[in-house]
Amino acid sequence: MKAIILAAGHGSRLLPLTLTTPKCLVEVGGRAILDHQLDAVSAAGFDGAVIVGGYRIDQIDAHLAARDGGRDGGLPTTLVFNPFWSVANSIGSVWAASAYLNTPFALMNGDTLFDAAILRGARARSAAGVTLVVEPLEQPGLDDMLVEADGERVIAVGKHLVGHQATDRSLGLILSAGGTAYAEALRAVIGEPDGLHAYHHAVVRRVAERSGVRALRIAPDLRWQEIDRPEDIAQWQREHAAPPLDPNQAATTPRDGSAAIDASA
C-alpha cells in the first residue's frame, strides 16, 4: 500500500508563511509538515509515498532530494505535478494521482499531522473496498469535513450536511484495498459541471452512495491536527511539547499499531 499525499495548494490561510514556501514545507515544531508526514508513513509500514505538488513544486522536489534516506529507512517517494492546482480544488490533485488509484492506497491531505499509530492502525485494519478514517464528533469546527455514519457505514460526507445528522469528523484519511470503485467515482465527480471545484471528499460520498464506504474510528487518545492557520502550529507545538524528564519513570513500551483504531469502530 502506498500513501498519496495531496500537497499542491498555496495555503493562503497560512500567509505570510506561504508567501514564498509551499504549505507542506512550512515548519511545525522545527520540521516541515511533509517530513512529519513521511516519517509517519514510513513508521506505519507503507511501501512508498506519492506526493502531489503544485505551488512552488521545485522546492518540494529539492526538499525530497535532500532528505536523509537513512532516517526513514529509504522510503521510496514519487513527486507528481498537478497543473490545475491554482484553478481546481483538492479533487484536481487526486486526478493527478489517477495512475495510483487502482492499487492499494491511503490518501491524505498534505497539511495534516498524524500520530504514526493512526496510519499504522488504519493500514492494519483496512478492509475490502473504501474506508474513511473518522473520529466521533463532539463540537464541530469551522472547517470540519463532517460525516454521518450508521455504525461502520458512511451515509453522507460534506462540510454542510443539509438534511443529515453529523456523527463524526473526517481526518481526511481515505484507504482503498484496491479495485476500481474509487477511481470510477472520481471520474464521475470530476466530469460533472463545476466538478473541478469539488473537494475530494465528494468522491467518498459518491462511493458511499454506489457501493458503500466503511467508517473506521480512531482511538480517543491518538492525536492528529490539520495545519490551516498560524494558531494551529502554536496549538500543535503546545500539545507536543516534551514533558520534563522524570529520571524515576520507567520507559514505556510503544503502542502496538494494530490497536491504534478504536475497537468499537
Side-chain angles (χ1 to χ4, degrees), residues 144-168:
D144 284 348
M145 186 62 68
L146 304 174
V147 179
E148 180 184 7
D150 180 6
E152 292 188 358
R153 185 168 65 95
V154 172
I155 305 297
V157 183
K159 290 202 171 185
H160 307 284
L161 292 184
V162 179
H164 293 272
Q165 180 64 47
T167 58
D168 296 88

Side-chain angles (χ1 to χ4, degrees), residues 79-159:
L79 181 60
V80 174
F81 180 50
N82 170 15
F84 314 112
W85 68 266
S86 65
V87 296
N89 275 336
S90 57
I91 197 170
S93 288
V94 182
W95 183 260
S98 293
Y100 301 92
L101 298 180
N102 289 328
T103 56
F105 68 83
L107 185 148
M108 63 195 75
N109 292 319
D111 59 1
T112 306
L113 303 182
F114 298 100
D115 282 355
I118 293 177
L119 298 181
R120 189 182 304 117
R123 179 175 174 270
R125 294 190 59 196
S126 63
V130 176
T131 297
L132 178 65
V133 181
V134 302
E135 68 174 2
L137 183 68
E138 295 180 0
Q139 182 65 36
L142 180 64
D143 298 316
D144 284 348
M145 186 62 68
L146 304 174
V147 179
E148 180 184 7
D150 180 6
E152 292 188 358
R153 185 168 65 95
V154 172
I155 305 297
V157 183
K159 290 202 171 185

Side-chain angles (χ1 to χ4, degrees), residues 20-95:
T20 59
T21 303
K23 186 177 185 181
C24 67
L25 297 187
V26 168
E27 290 194 354
V28 177
R31 298 172 58 231
I33 293 172
L34 183 58
D35 285 334
H36 285 284
Q37 292 185 310
L38 291 176
D39 289 347
V41 164
S42 179
F46 284 85
D47 298 317
V50 177
I51 300 95
V52 182
Y55 174 65
R56 297 191 180 272
I57 193 173
D58 56 323
Q59 293 185 28
I60 302 174
D61 190 21
H63 187 87
L64 291 173
R67 270 180 64 90
D68 179 8
R71 184 180 65 195
D72 59 17
L75 179 76
T77 58
T78 302
L79 181 60
V80 174
F81 180 50
N82 170 15
F84 314 112
W85 68 266
S86 65
V87 296
N89 275 336
S90 57
I91 197 170
S93 288
V94 182
W95 183 260

